């Protein structure tokens, strides 16, 4: 992506040249006509004083950048003074035009417009008075139109410069917005990958670890039980490798067409059976009705059960887990409890992993509420998932817990 242009690199109507060069060119244009051998007597200075009046605008013009209104007033005064003395100084008239251009170029329209209008009116009015008094052709119409045109050009230049700067500023803000949006998407994608990786690996690794312990303890006394545990380890290993391979395939897909299919409550029996074969007593009470569950809620409900069973495998001591699924009004309640030999005195257990962190994000994404923490006699993980689309701005209230 090409760099965004800066204010100093803003395009200009005219090529950028040093100020002193422009001042020298303006001075030459003002002074040369004073000494040029023109064939018209009214264009030649009639006295030394007129020479001074015709040359002084060249000295005043460099100050037009700092004091544009004062420079215009002085140039008009010098031009009218020379005109009153019987000389139509073209150099002084050109200085008036240059100064008239500088006023709207340097000031905003509200401040420059009255000055420009007054300058045109004064130059034309004074020229008409001199022409009526002396009978000299002051060419007031040409001078007045030139001053008005210079003011219009100055205003157009200032407006275009302001427009270009506004476009550059919008481009800067757009670039910052794109960078912020890209950073936000990268962060969201990292969180999604972390959640999917945890969901794909944590539960199966817990099952493998538990069954490895069962196989080790039953290898001598109950070889059938050991073989069953080893078969479960083989199945779980195959599944976790398949999950990781599927995730890597999605990550290598250049577009969004490779979004990985997420499991739902239809696979609840599989995850429950993987815990049961390890010797755990898992009781499932499914009190839902026959109405379908939205896809997002279905996926999150499955992840809640999976995380609850994983927590039980990692922290439980009684080898018993209870899973409850029921519909309460317009919400689906998912509760996973497992007894503990002892309940810590501090009800706010510090988290020991990222499982609940990702689970809270999933529950929050569907506008649900997650509670995790010690309960009488054990540990309780409960989620209330709305079956209707969440209202804008809905946030989940989460509790503390371990993962």
């Amino acid at each position: 992506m090409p760099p965004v242009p800066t204010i100093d690199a803003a395009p200009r109507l005219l090529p950028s040249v040093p100020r002193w060069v422009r001042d020298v060119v303006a001075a030459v244009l003002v002074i040369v006509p004073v000494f040029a051998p023109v064939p018209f007597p009214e264009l030649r200075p009639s006295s030394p004083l007129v020479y001074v009046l015709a040359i002084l605008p060249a000295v005043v013009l460099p100050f037009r950048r700092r004091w544009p209104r004062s420079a215009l007033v002085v140039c008009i005064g010098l031009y009218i003074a020379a005109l009153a003395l019987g000389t139509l100084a073209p150099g002084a008239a050109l200085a008036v035009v240059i100064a008239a251009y500088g006023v709207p170029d340097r000031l905003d329209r509200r401040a420059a417009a009255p000055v420009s209008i007054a300058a045109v009116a004064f130059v034309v009015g004074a020229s008409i008075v001199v022409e009526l008094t002396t009978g000299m052709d002051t060419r007031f119409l040409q001078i007045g139109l030139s001053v008005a045109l210079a003011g219009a050009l100055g205003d157009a230049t200032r407006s275009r410069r302001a427009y270009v700067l506004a476009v550059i500023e919008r481009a800067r803000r757009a670039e910052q917005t794109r960078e912020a949006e890209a950073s936000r998407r990268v962060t969201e994608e990292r969180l999604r990958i972390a959640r999917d990786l945890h969901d794909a690996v944590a539960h199966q690794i817990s099952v493998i670890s538990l069954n490895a312990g069962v196989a080790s303890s039953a290898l001598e006394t109950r070889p059938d039980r050991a073989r069953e545990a080893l078969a479960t380890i083989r199945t779980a290993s195959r599944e976790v490798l398949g999950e990781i391979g599927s995730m890597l395939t999605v990550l290598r897909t250049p577009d969004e067409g490779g979004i990985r299919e997420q499991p739902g409550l239809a696979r609840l029996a599989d995850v429950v059976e993987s815990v049961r074969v390890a010797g755990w007593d898992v009781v499932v009470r499914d009190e839902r009705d026959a109405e379908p569950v939205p896809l997002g809620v279905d996926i999150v409900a499955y992840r809640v059960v999976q995380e609850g069973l994983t927590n039980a495998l990692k922290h439980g001591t009684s080898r018993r887990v209870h899973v409850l699924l029921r519909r309460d009004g317009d919400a689906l309640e998912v509760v996973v409890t497992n007894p503990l030999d002892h309940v810590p005195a501090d009800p706010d257990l510090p988290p020991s992993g990222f499982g609940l962190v990702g689970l809270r994000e999933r529950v929050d994404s569907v506008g649900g509420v997650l509670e995790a923490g010690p309960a009488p006699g054990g540990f309780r993980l409960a989620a209330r998932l709305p079956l209707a689309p969440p209202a804008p701005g809905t946030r989940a209230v989460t509790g503390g817990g371990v993962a």
Side-chain angles (χ1 to χ4, degrees):
M1 179 179 297
V4 177
T6 62
I7 293 178
D8 295 334
R12 300 175 180 270
L13 286 175
L14 297 176
S16 179
V17 295
R19 291 182 176 181
W20 67 270
V21 174
R22 286 178 279 175
D23 292 337
V24 169
V25 172
V28 170
L29 294 176
V30 171
I31 296 175
V32 166
V34 177
F35 301 97
V38 293
F40 305 101
E42 65 274 13
L43 299 180
R44 294 194 298 266
S46 57
S47 65
L49 178 59
V50 175
Y51 272 100
V52 174
L53 294 175
I55 292 174
L56 279 178
V59 181
V60 175
L61 284 180
F63 297 98
R64 70 187 183 279
R65 299 184 182 89
R66 187 170 183 180
W67 299 292
R69 283 175 288 205
S70 300
L72 177 61
V73 170
V74 172
C75 288
I76 291 176
L78 294 173
Y79 169 74
I80 297 300
L83 195 64
L85 294 177
T87 300
L88 181 61
L94 180 60
V96 172
V97 172
I98 295 175
Y101 172 89
V103 170
D105 181 56
R106 293 291 170 176
L107 305 178
D108 61 85
R109 183 172 298 170
R110 181 174 299 181
V115 177
S116 298
I117 294 173
V120 174
F122 185 80
V123 170
V124 172
S127 298
I128 291 176
V129 170
V130 171
E131 184 169 345
L132 294 176
T133 303
T134 63
M136 180 181 63
D137 184 9
T138 58
R139 296 176 175 83
F140 65 88
L141 185 59
Q142 294 93 320
I143 299 299
L145 290 176
S146 299
V147 174
L149 179 60
L153 289 176
D155 181 76
T157 302
R158 179 195 52 77
S159 299
R160 182 181 183 276
R161 185 167 58 247
Y163 170 77
V164 170
L165 295 181
V167 170
I168 292 174
E169 181 62 23
R170 284 197 295 270
R172 286 176 176 172
R173 293 182 180 179
E175 181 67 20
Q176 293 173 356
T177 302
R178 284 194 296 270
E179 292 177 355
E181 179 67 15
S183 176
R184 183 187 65 81
R185 291 188 177 184
V186 168
T187 301
E188 290 182 352
E189 184 64 14
R190 290 174 60 185
L191 292 176
R192 186 184 69 82
I193 294 172
R195 287 195 297 265
D196 289 348
L197 184 62
H198 178 274
D199 294 337
V201 175
H203 178 75
Q204 299 294 349
I205 293 298
S206 298
V207 172
I208 291 172
S209 176
L210 185 63
N211 281 276
V214 172
S216 176
S217 61
L219 187 61
E220 299 292 341
T221 59
R222 301 178 58 189
D224 293 339
R225 177 64 172 161
R227 282 193 293 271
E228 184 180 353
L230 292 174
T232 303
I233 291 175
R234 184 165 55 250
T235 301
S237 301
R238 188 181 302 112
E239 290 181 359
V240 73
L241 289 175
E243 290 278 355
I244 293 176
S246 175
M247 184 178 300
L248 291 176
T249 301
V250 173
L251 294 178
R252 292 177 179 272
T253 302
D255 52 21
E256 298 182 356
I259 297 178
R260 191 168 65 97
E261 181 181 356
Q262 298 286 342
L265 291 176
R267 293 178 55 183
L268 181 61
D270 296 336
V271 71
V272 170
E273 185 62 25
S274 67
V275 178
R276 282 176 175 165
V277 296
W280 281 63
D281 182 16
V282 183
V283 178
V284 179
R285 290 172 53 195
D286 192 349
E287 300 178 0
R288 297 174 295 160
D289 51 28
E291 294 185 13
V293 177
L295 178 60
V297 175
D298 185 63
I299 294 174
V300 174
Y302 173 84
R303 294 304 186 187
V304 172
V305 176
Q306 185 184 51
E307 181 63 24
L309 294 177
T310 302
N311 276 341
L313 292 175
K314 292 167 63 177
H315 306 290
T317 56
S318 61
R319 292 182 174 268
R320 287 188 293 117
V321 185
H322 184 271
V323 179
L324 172 63
L325 295 140
R326 68 180 178 183
R327 181 162 184 161
D328 184 11
D330 294 333
L332 175 65
E333 289 189 351
V334 183
V335 182
V336 182
T337 57
N338 62 283
L340 296 174
D341 288 343
H342 66 281
V343 180
D346 185 0
D348 296 327
L349 296 177
S352 61
F354 296 100
L356 289 181
V357 175
L359 187 60
R360 288 190 180 104
E361 293 172 353
R362 289 187 182 275
V363 172
D364 183 70
S365 67
V366 296
V369 177
L370 178 68
E371 296 178 357
F379 187 84
R380 180 175 182 268
L381 178 66
R384 183 178 177 86
L385 310 174
L387 298 176
T394 301
R395 299 292 297 175
V397 179
T398 60
V402 296

